């Protein structure tokens, strides 16, 4: 199996203006005739649409177009690229969502500046790990003190408690 194409080193990351992402629905909901709606998770790997805009010089635009044409088969192949999320900048596997894969606009013809906009799709948008989440979830409490208190309650206090 061939290696996945990587975002060219000579190209910049997306600009912050216009950057954003949205997770697609991962829950199936069924309306019942009576009672509460039933919900279930359909999958754990949630697709995420990422709106990106790049600012390129004419030479960078030429490199980008060649990358998409030759390495990505005009947008049919996924690639590895740095994307920002709540976990910072991460290398993720993405693909162009639409066909045609991107749109180009001339910003300043005298300076040769261009913007390229696209929608990317990824299933690898990073999320905080459980090991980081749990201590953050319990807030100001000291995780080790909580674990010690729980251990003490289970192994010391409860075995010696008088039956009622």
């Amino acid at each position: 199996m061939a290696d996945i194409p990587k975002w060219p080193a000579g190209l910049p990351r997306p600009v912050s203006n216009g950057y954003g992402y949205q997770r697609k629905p991962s829950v199936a909901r069924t309306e019942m005739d009576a009672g509460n709606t039933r919900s279930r998770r359909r999958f754990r790997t949630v697709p995420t649409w990422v709106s990106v805009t790049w600012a390129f010089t004419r030479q960078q635009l030429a490199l980008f177009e060649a990358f998409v044409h030759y390495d990505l088969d005009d947008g049919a192949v996924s690639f590895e690229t740095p994307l920002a999320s709540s976990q910072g900048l991460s290398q993720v596997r993405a693909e162009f969502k639409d066909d045609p894969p991107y749109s180009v606009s001339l910003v300043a013809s005298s300076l040769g500046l261009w913007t390229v906009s696209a929608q990317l799709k990824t299933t690898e948008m990073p999320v905080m790990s459980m090991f980081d989440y749990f201590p953050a979830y319990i807030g100001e409490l000291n995780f080790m003190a909580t674990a010690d208190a729980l251990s003490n309650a289970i192994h010391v206090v409860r075995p010696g408690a008088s039956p009622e």
Side-chain angles (χ1 to χ4, degrees), residues 13-93:
R13 293 191 301 263
V15 296
S16 58
N17 188 18
Y19 182 86
Y21 59 92
Q22 178 181 12
R23 291 171 47 106
K24 291 300 159 191
S26 63
V27 175
R29 300 188 193 287
T30 304
E31 295 289 332
M32 309 306 284
D33 289 337
N36 295 333
T37 301
R38 293 203 179 152
S39 303
R40 66 177 173 81
R41 179 186 254 172
R42 294 186 306 170
F43 40 80
R44 291 196 178 277
T45 308
V46 181
T48 303
W49 295 163
V50 184
S51 299
V52 294
T53 302
W54 296 282
F56 293 141
T57 63
R58 187 187 58 75
Q59 294 83 4
Q60 289 171 329
L61 177 61
L63 175 62
F64 171 79
E65 290 178 330
F67 171 67
V68 172
H69 181 71
Y70 296 115
D71 290 347
L72 306 184
D73 291 337
D74 288 323
V77 174
S78 59
F79 60 101
E80 202 170 280
T81 185
L83 292 177
S85 71
S86 64
Q87 300 306 297
L89 195 64
S90 303
Q91 285 289 117
V92 299
R93 185 178 190 154

Side-chain angles (χ1 to χ4, degrees), residues 134-150:
F134 187 70
Y137 177 73
I138 61 174
E140 296 299 318
L141 296 176
N142 180 333
F143 177 71
M144 293 311 291
T146 304
D148 288 343
L150 181 60

